[in-house]
Amino acid sequence: MRAAALRRAPHRLADPAFWLFAVLIALLVLLVANPVVRLVWDSFHTADGAWSLQSYATALGNARNLQALLNSLALGAAVTVLTLAMGVPLALAVSRSNMPARGLAHLSVLAAFVMPNFLGAIAWILLAGPNAGWLNRLWIELTGVDKGPFNIFSFWGLAFVIALYTYPLVYVFTKAALDLVSTELEDAAAIHGAGKFQTMVRVTLPLALPSIVGASILIFLEAIALYGTPALIAIPARINLATTQLVSFFQYPLQVEQAAAFSMPILLLTIVMLMLQRRLLARRGFVSVSGKGGERRPLDIGPWRWVLLAYASLIGLLSVVMPLVILVMASLSKAWGRGLASGNLTLGNYTTIFFEQVTVRNAIVNTLVYSIATALICVVMGICIAYATQRRVTPFPAVVQGLALAPVAVPGLIMAIGLYAAYAGPPFSLYGTGMLIVVAFTTRFLPIAVTACAAAVRSLNPELEEAVRVLGGGRVTVLAKVVLPLLKKTLVGVFILVFVICTKELSTAVFLTGPASRVVSVLTLDLSEQGNYETLAAMGVVLVVITTLVVAAGMRVAGRDFMLRRGG
């Protein structure tokens, strides 16, 4: 009987699902393992392939390089402090207080998240440049002094701009934790004589502390690995950072091995701090006794609600309103430094980017095409990997999931170096092609899709899937006919989230684009070096409009919070 049953059972190799998930694992190895292994390999070898520690001695024995690492650590600490000062009060105001316009404050955080940091940097150069910045010129006209007080080309100017577009991560982590805090805990503190401020300091915030610290670690790592804003502000300010120093290894003569060796301390620091962050967040189960939270109602904070509203308005003004206004005004100006002078308004900058400058038009098209392609690939791979690992279809599901999530531990600029080493030369020879950009973006952002899809698959009751299997359907049929239709809203949200992040990405693209594959983020650096801020502003406005329309569509389909759920 047993032998007959075995003969009737189809061989595993005949199951299409086996081959589908085998191909997925092979793709993961190519996308993730290959570039990381190649990065480490190159750091221990010479250009001729001989084993050597010379790259480490050269890269880390240079005083300028070591100072760049120390400057990056200082910048990471400064940005972390500023983002905490912005994000935590906003999260408290929106989640726990009776501050007016909480929904509008939440949308302003979403807008800051959507705004590309390199466009924010350009806007603040126009606003607070030491000579022609509009804020300085306004100050000079109002006070009659010779020089304005603002200088964005400074250490704290750089930290301020980075913080304006990374604080949403602190907000999301903190708000997600505060949303689980039951009002009953705060009422108990009040019964024992604690005032509102004391209750917030001794009860509410400590319950959210693991999430706040976890977000701080991510912010620190993001700040030390960021390239776009430092390239626009730190280089003119003569502030040497690790990311800008890494780019110097890619000038002639090319020094990939030294770049790999120089990136190792950053990579190791990232891995250690992410492990610490994971341990901290694993302990956040004490936020509420039930894990779901009890009754929650806004805390009446009296006149302080107006103070919080003013603070929220200030952050929205600095991160979204003022940058967008200056970009629009610059895009409509013949010469941005002349302001709203008569005869200075024009639509010529938009005519230029759409009809005259092929480079700009191609960059916009490339950005959209690569972002759409990456989002589609991430959605398909993400749901397949999530289903295979959550339903234990593949052998060693934890290893497969770990491989899919591994790019989180590799900063974008360092991942780009690994991808360059792995795929720029033979046998792939992908350098300068759009395919390499899509490969890079997919590798970088696949963890977002896998994480979101895994959470969605876990929420599905497997009984429907089992019913299909009983009726003779295979795993592929289950995935296509049951899982995908049920998770349609989640998948749309993941697609739009990945699309938006791709349109902002610079760190991964900066080493990998060629003349025919240049994207908006990389072209921004070229135009800023030429001082062509009018064309750059018009290009930025077009990108923001397209992104906003996509986000609006996503909010209608997947809910208004889909862009920010990844932090929770």
Side-chain angles (χ1 to χ4, degrees):
M1 287 287 292
R2 185 177 180 183
L6 286 174
R7 282 195 299 271
R8 287 195 302 270
H11 194 276
R12 188 170 187 176
L13 294 178
D15 186 356
F18 173 84
W19 294 106
L20 172 64
F21 297 124
V23 169
L24 278 174
I25 293 172
L27 282 175
L28 280 178
V29 171
L30 276 174
L31 287 173
V32 180
N34 186 31
V36 173
V37 169
R38 183 62 186 267
L39 181 72
V40 177
W41 172 274
D42 280 0
S43 74
F44 287 105
H45 290 78
T46 64
D48 299 328
W51 171 269
S52 174
L53 293 176
Q54 184 59 42
S55 296
Y56 284 93
T58 304
L60 300 179
N62 184 300
R64 178 178 172 83
N65 292 352
L66 290 177
Q67 187 61 51
L69 287 171
L70 293 176
N71 289 345
S72 290
L73 296 178
L75 178 66
V79 170
T80 303
V81 171
L82 291 175
T83 54
L84 288 174
M86 296 178 190
V88 173
L90 269 183
L92 278 168
V94 174
S95 176
R96 309 301 298 157
S97 80
N98 63 337
M99 180 189 78
R102 284 176 290 166
L104 191 59
H106 183 77
L107 286 178
S108 74
V109 177
L110 175 61
F113 174 77
V114 170
M115 183 83 169
N117 65 73
F118 58 86
L119 282 184
I122 292 294
W124 275 98
I125 289 172
L126 301 180
L127 282 166
N131 298 317
W134 285 23
L135 292 179
N136 283 321
R137 290 172 55 198
L138 179 62
W139 181 273
I140 291 170
E141 289 180 12
L142 292 176
T143 62
V145 298
D146 295 330
K147 187 178 180 182
F150 306 108
N151 182 11
I152 206 65
F153 296 110
S154 62
F155 177 85
W156 284 105
L158 174 62
F160 167 75
V161 174
I162 295 175
L164 283 179
Y165 301 102
T166 51
Y167 86 87
L169 195 58
V170 170
Y171 169 87
V172 169
F173 269 74
T174 307
K175 183 176 180 298
L178 291 173
D179 285 347
L180 288 176
V181 178
S182 170
T183 308
E184 296 165 2
L185 299 173
E186 296 166 335
D187 291 343
I191 290 171
H192 287 84
K196 292 175 182 177
F197 181 77
Q198 191 177 15
T199 299
M200 188 170 292
V201 171
R202 300 188 63 179
V203 177
T204 309
L205 279 177
L207 290 173
L209 190 59
S211 292
I212 295 173
V213 174
S216 301
I217 290 172
L218 290 183
I219 290 292
F220 178 84
L221 295 175
E222 175 79 6
I224 65 173
L226 197 64
Y227 177 69
T229 305
L232 292 164
I233 295 178
I235 292 177
R238 301 185 182 279
I239 302 171
N240 194 27
L241 298 172
T243 50
T244 54
Q245 193 63 26
L246 270 172
V247 174
S248 70
F249 292 117
F250 280 77
Q251 297 172 356
Y252 185 82
L254 200 62
Q255 300 168 308
V256 179
E257 293 76 20
Q258 288 188 35
F262 185 68
S263 66
M264 284 300 117
I266 304 172
L267 181 59
L268 290 175
L269 177 64
T270 302
I271 293 171
V272 169
M273 295 195 73
L274 284 175
M275 291 172 63
L276 174 62
Q277 188 239 17
R278 187 170 182 177
R279 292 192 64 179
L280 283 168
L281 293 184
R283 298 173 53 195
R284 67 178 180 178
F286 67 84
V287 167
S288 66
V289 176
S290 67
K292 298 180 180 179
E295 179 193 1
R296 292 184 296 277
R297 62 179 182 273
L299 183 67
D300 185 357
I301 56 174
W304 284 100
R305 68 186 186 274
W306 301 109
V307 176
L308 278 177
L309 178 60
Y311 189 63
S313 301
L314 176 64
I315 294 175
L317 188 70
L318 295 174
S319 61
V320 179
V321 178
M322 288 171 60
L324 284 179
V325 168
I326 190 70
L327 285 174
V328 171
M329 291 176 69
S331 74
L332 295 173
S333 301
K334 295 178 181 178
W336 72 270
R338 291 172 55 194
L340 296 175
S342 60
N344 193 39
L345 294 180
T346 179
L347 291 173
N349 297 316
Y350 291 95
T351 303
T352 298
I353 65 173
F354 284 121
F355 303 108
E356 296 175 11
Q357 286 203 6
V358 177
T359 303
V360 177
R361 187 170 69 245
N362 287 347
I364 294 173
V365 172
N366 287 344
T367 300
L368 296 177
V369 170
Y370 301 158
S371 299
I372 291 170
T374 301
L376 283 172
I377 295 170
C378 283
V379 167
V380 172
M381 289 188 67
I383 188 60
C384 291
I385 292 167
Y387 182 76
T389 54
Q390 295 303 313
R391 297 296 188 252
R392 309 186 73 83
V393 176
T394 63
F396 309 109
V399 175
V400 175
Q401 186 174 38
L403 189 59
L405 299 179
V408 169
V410 186
L413 204 63
I414 295 173
M415 178 62 79
I417 297 171
L419 288 162
Y420 179 92
Y423 298 115
F428 299 100
S429 301
L430 295 179
Y431 178 72
T433 66
M435 183 177 292
L436 183 56
I437 305 301
V438 173
V439 167
F441 284 1
T442 301
T443 305
R444 183 100 162 86
F445 304 123
L446 182 61
I448 296 173
V450 172
T451 301
C453 291
V457 171
R458 281 196 300 270
S459 69
L460 290 180
N461 190 322
E463 291 178 359
L464 284 174
E465 302 166 36
E466 291 167 3
V468 174
R469 298 295 305 279
V470 168
L471 294 172
R475 291 284 187 183
V476 176
T477 303
V478 170
L479 193 59
K481 301 294 186 182
V482 177
V483 177
L484 293 183
L486 290 175
L487 299 184
K488 180 173 63 176
K489 185 178 290 190
T490 296
L491 298 180
V492 169
V494 170
F495 174 88
I496 297 174
L497 178 57
V498 173
F499 171 86
V500 170
I501 295 175
C502 285
T503 63
K504 307 192 314 178
E505 179 62 14
L506 173 59
S507 298
T508 311
V510 67
F511 291 146
L512 306 176
T513 57
S517 61
R518 193 172 288 137
V519 291
V520 167
S521 57
V522 176
L523 186 59
T524 298
L525 298 183
D526 298 338
L527 293 178
S528 66
E529 290 174 1
Q530 300 168 15
N532 194 351
Y533 289 112
E534 297 83 10
T535 301
L536 196 158
M539 182 177 67
V541 169
V542 170
L543 182 63
V544 169
V545 168
I546 293 172
T547 306
T548 302
L549 291 174
V550 173
V551 171
M555 291 172 68
R556 288 186 63 87
V557 175
R560 74 172 192 169
D561 290 337
F562 79 94
M563 291 288 293
L564 300 176
R565 284 181 192 143
R566 71 189 183 113

